[in-house]
Amino acid sequence: MASSHGTPPVFNNKVISWIDHRLPIFSYIEKEYHTFPTPRNFNYFWNFGAIATVMLVLMIATGIVLATNYTPHVLMAFDAVERIDRDVPQGWLIRDLHMNGASFFFIAVYIHIFRGMYYGSYKAPRELLWILGVVIFLLMMATAFMGYVLPWGQMSFWGATVITNLFSAIPVVGESIVTWLWGGFAVDNPTLNRFFALHYLLPFIIVAVVALHVVALHVHGSNNPTGIDVKGPQDTVPFHPYYTMKDGFGVICFLIVFAGFVFFAPDYLGHPDNYIPANPMVTPAHIVPEWYFLPFYAILRAIPDKLGGVLAMFGAIAVLFVLPWLDTSRVRSCTFRPIYKWFMMLLVVDVIVLGICGSKPPEGFWVPLSQLATLYYFAHFLVLLPILGKIERPLPLPPSIADSVLKKKAV
Amino acid sequence: MVATGALGAVGVAAVAWPFINNLNPAADTLALSTIEVNVTPIAVGQAVTVKWRGKPVFIRHRTEAEIKEAEAVPMAQLPDPETDNKRVTDTAKKVRPEWLIMIGVCTHLGCVPLGNKPGDQKGEYGGWFCPCHGSSYDTSGRIRKGPAPKNLVVPDYLFTSDSLVRIG
């Protein structure tokens, strides 16, 4: 769609015009964020890309400020973070924004991923757009994991130990890889040092991949709740002011909830054990990762075999890369897929169940439940998706986006 | 073309290697010395945890019952078969069944198993229990149940006298 709109803009301001003639950034902004034709029927699920971008910027801004007061050394890290909380002017605020910002970044991204899956945004011609999104998700997980290690509390230390040990499951070279990751014989000062360096680096790589994600998005434009293609100007509105306003509204609503946590329950999403300094001699009785990793943690523990568990956990993310090819249905949106729609909702329930299992000790009833939920997770992608596309009879699609909007109004 | 490409690849690998190897343990980390522990204060049935190379090492003074139990287990029941005798032999090949010395790191994902302190949960097999993912070890520190694939690792150690043991 990018090619379909009009003549290049004329700028009245001479300075802008001079710059734009040599470096067309103003034309670019005009084309991609002002006149950019965008489907007119977005619902609020389409806010979460913008919300996630805002969270990324917030994380980088707060992170840079935090880094100025942080020391990546095993003897000083814990105290440095406590000092940020207690002594540094507004340090508590910056840290609570960063800490809760990670959670809310994941909330935004999980909703964004759900949106993409429910409305079939990953299907042709947006497969690479989707894959870049999964790459961003992976980078976010790595960044969040390393960030959680930096306060050097008990959960930091043991989280780092467990996650780095995942690589020891690799046959033959596993142990050497783990030693290489640690820079020693256990998680220790070299580990903390390099995690800090990488935690600072990865967000900027995320920014770069987000840029590619947006470039890919602007080739064919956004998908929409009907999943059908834009057929003409009657189906679209310019991005500005329509969606700058709607995104702005969504961002503000999201930030209100975020601020509620930051100011009234800053530690609600964290774990109290991380306020105990790291002790390599004692593992806390019940170690859990941050909430956003719990479903994957449950998959890891559901398999009673070390290598199998690790493969299943990585496989749970790897399967997302091939999602565009596992789904055999030609219809994008679940709105018109009467059977798949319910399985999609079941997947959401399944992931929540996995999350709950991941937060419980690995015993009793939670073990078979997490195994069942893991089975459904993989069956959903590897069995249901390919088969349903063949046997499901989709509902009739509306002739155009404009039709679907106007008909809804008439009813 | 092929030759140029191959030479280029060798060049890239040669430049990349220092960056990769740089992340391996440094000389001072590798030089972490051995430790010596006086085992006289450890009463029968007691266990202590000492730190070696940044990791906990368990030293357990086993009771007769625990030794018997460990020796009686048929090899067929063990996921990682190893005789109890072999696990209590020091580097001078001297067997001391009363002293079990192991690295206290679960072979699953590296947590420290419970079972060294009097009130600790010891798991179904009376040895150690890892709270992270539920692995149970017996009185010889061998894996019996749960996701851990291997027995708790026995480090190189040597009793320099009846009361002193050198680990490492």
Side-chain angles (χ1 to χ4, degrees), chain B residues 142-158:
Chain B
R142 292 172 300 198
I143 180 67
R144 300 298 292 273
K145 195 185 169 195
K150 298 263 173 212
N151 302 332
L152 291 175
V153 175
V154 176
D156 285 347
Y157 65 88
L158 177 69

Side-chain angles (χ1 to χ4, degrees), chain A residues 73-89:
Chain A
H73 189 282
V74 290
L75 300 177
M76 291 181 262
F78 187 87
D79 292 343
V81 173
E82 286 304 300
R83 183 175 160 271
I84 289 171
D85 257 353
R86 294 152 194 249
D87 298 340
V88 176

Side-chain angles (χ1 to χ4, degrees), chain A residues 157-158 161-163 165-169 176 179-188 190 194 280-287 297 300-301 303-306 310 361-363, chain B residues 19-26 29-32 49-57 105-114 117 121 129 131-134 146-149:
Chain A
F157 182 89
W158 292 101
T161 300
V162 167
I163 302 299
N165 263 307
L166 292 178
F167 294 91
S168 71
S176 320
T179 306
W180 179 73
L181 289 172
W182 288 339
F185 303 109
V187 172
D188 211 330
R194 60 188 60 183
M281 295 294 111
V282 180
T283 308
H286 181 203
I287 64 166
Y297 191 60
L300 167 77
R301 297 194 306 187
I303 315 283
D305 173 79
K306 184 170 166 177
V310 173
E363 53 200 30
Chain B
F19 289 84
I20 295 166
N21 193 33
N22 187 266
L23 294 174
N24 270 319
T29 311
L30 288 171
L32 276 176
T49 307
V50 295
K51 195 175 176 179
W52 173 65
R53 285 181 160 186
K55 288 176 180 172
V57 169
V105 171
C106 182
T107 57
H108 181 223
L109 295 174
C111 296
V112 178
L114 299 172
K117 292 206 192 88
Q121 200 181 341
F129 174 75
C132 294
H133 308 94

